[in-house]
Amino acid sequence: HWSGWKDIDGSEIQEGITVMLDKQQRVHVFAPGRDSVHHWTQDAPGKEVYFQPLDGLPQPGGQAGATLAPDGSITVV
C-alpha cells in the first residue's frame, strides 16, 4: 500500500535514480548528486528505507549503474 510522503534524508539529487535488490532482497537506491552518488537502503526486506552515505565515490557524470556480483557485493559505476 502507498503511504504519505516521507523525508528519508540525503541531499539534493539529479535525474537518473537506480534501484536494485541485493542478495538478501533489500532495496538499494542510488542517485547522482552534485558531488557524489547518494545511497538509500534498508536493514531487511519490508523495513524502512534510510539514507546511508557511501564514501570514496567520485563526482557522478550521469546516472549511476549498479550490479550484483556473485559474492553478493554491489558494484556502482
Side-chain angles (χ1 to χ4, degrees):
H1 78 289
W2 290 95
S3 63
W5 286 100
K6 180 181 175 188
D7 183 355
I8 58 172
D9 297 323
S11 59
E12 59 185 57
I13 62 170
Q14 301 171 11
E15 292 184 42
I17 297 172
T18 300
V19 179
M20 67 171 298
L21 294 176
D22 67 13
K23 202 170 185 178
Q24 290 79 34
Q25 301 300 300
R26 297 175 297 187
V27 172
H28 291 265
V29 179
F30 301 95
R34 186 171 12 134
D35 299 323
S36 184
V37 175
H38 303 288
H39 174 239
W40 294 263
T41 191
Q42 56 190 171
D43 291 327
K47 298 290 184 182
E48 294 285 324
V49 174
Y50 65 94
F51 181 61
Q52 184 180 38
L54 298 174
D55 292 328
L57 294 179
Q59 183 175 355
Q63 181 172 351
T67 187
L68 187 61
D71 69 358
S73 63
I74 298 171
T75 300
V76 179
V77 295

